[in-house]
Amino acid sequence: GYTNYTAPDANFSSATMYVDYVRAYTYGGEPQTDYPAGYTECTRVSWQNLGAWQYYFGDSGWGNAKGYYSGGTSLDYMSTYITQKASVEWGDQIKPVLSLAKNTTYNYSFKVETDAGGNNLHVKFENSGTKDLVNEALTSGTKTYSGTFTTSTSTSGQIVFDLSDIDATKTLTVKDFRS
């Protein structure tokens, strides 16, 4: 019945509902999540340092991306699982933490393992301008990338992986990064 056994007024603002109890049941299977086991939700909005890698997943003002990560404490393994694709280019990114000297040429190599076939991967070297290291459609599986880049005399630069073209429910893992 209604509170004090009176009907609420026409706009329903005078009634109160009380809950006597809530019954909970156990689930016989594994708990369901929207991301793979062993991954941690990415903090959004600012760069986050994991040790050997950093990540950035933008909030509503910058890409509105959402994802999860695994690894990142060594250059050998950094994995992301995208649950909400970025709405702008560079809205979600990862980058290795590197100590690069000025005016030096480096060789680099890394493997990308993904189930994101057809999505685009863009990796660039930023240093008084930019140089594309990778800008191509991904294929499912593992692919090795390698090449060279040279730092300028004024700044050492950084390598950045753009994940904004990776669709939701896709995993991208960088392995064996070397420079």
Side-chain angles (χ1 to χ4, degrees):
Y2 299 109
T3 304
N4 298 326
Y5 299 99
T6 58
D9 61 16
N11 65 8
F12 292 91
S13 64
S14 65
T16 302
M17 181 178 96
Y18 296 96
V19 177
D20 290 335
Y21 64 91
V22 175
R23 182 177 289 164
Y25 296 91
T26 59
Y27 175 69
E30 292 293 318
Q32 300 297 305
T33 61
D34 65 346
Y35 58 92
Y39 282 69
T40 302
E41 185 172 4
C42 292
T43 302
R44 294 166 76 180
V45 180
S46 62
W47 280 101
Q48 301 295 312
N49 192 342
L50 301 173
W53 288 86
Q54 294 178 327
Y55 70 80
Y56 175 86
F57 277 75
D59 205 349
S60 59
W62 181 245
N64 206 28
K66 185 175 181 185
Y68 294 79
Y69 73 89
S70 178
T73 58
S74 79
L75 290 175
D76 291 331
Y77 182 81
M78 174 63 183
S79 186
T80 59
Y81 179 78
I82 310 298
T83 56
Q84 184 171 332
K85 182 179 177 178
S87 59
V88 298
E89 188 176 30
W90 301 98
D92 52 341
Q93 310 169 36
I94 60 173
K95 63 182 177 181
V97 176
L98 302 174
S99 295
L100 302 174
K102 296 176 185 177
N103 201 29
T104 304
T105 298
Y106 289 92
N107 295 316
Y108 69 87
S109 69
F110 56 87
K111 295 176 185 173
V112 172
E113 181 179 297
T114 185
D115 59 355
N119 295 182
N120 196 57
L121 175 64
H122 189 185
V123 182
K124 67 180 178 178
F125 173 63
E126 296 178 330
N127 176 257
S128 300
T130 62
K131 175 185 177 181
D132 282 343
L133 304 181
V134 177
N135 193 0
E136 66 181 40
L138 292 167
T139 55
S140 294
T142 303
K143 183 171 181 180
T144 301
Y145 298 91
S146 61
T148 63
F149 61 87
T150 302
T151 60
S152 72
T153 57
S154 62
T155 182
S156 60
Q158 64 182 357
I159 294 175
V160 184
F161 290 68
D162 177 15
L163 306 180
S164 62
D165 282 339
I166 308 298
D167 288 331
T169 72
K170 300 296 182 182
T171 303
L172 183 130
T173 303
V174 180
K175 297 180 176 182
D176 304 326
F177 188 94
R178 302 285 180 260
S179 70

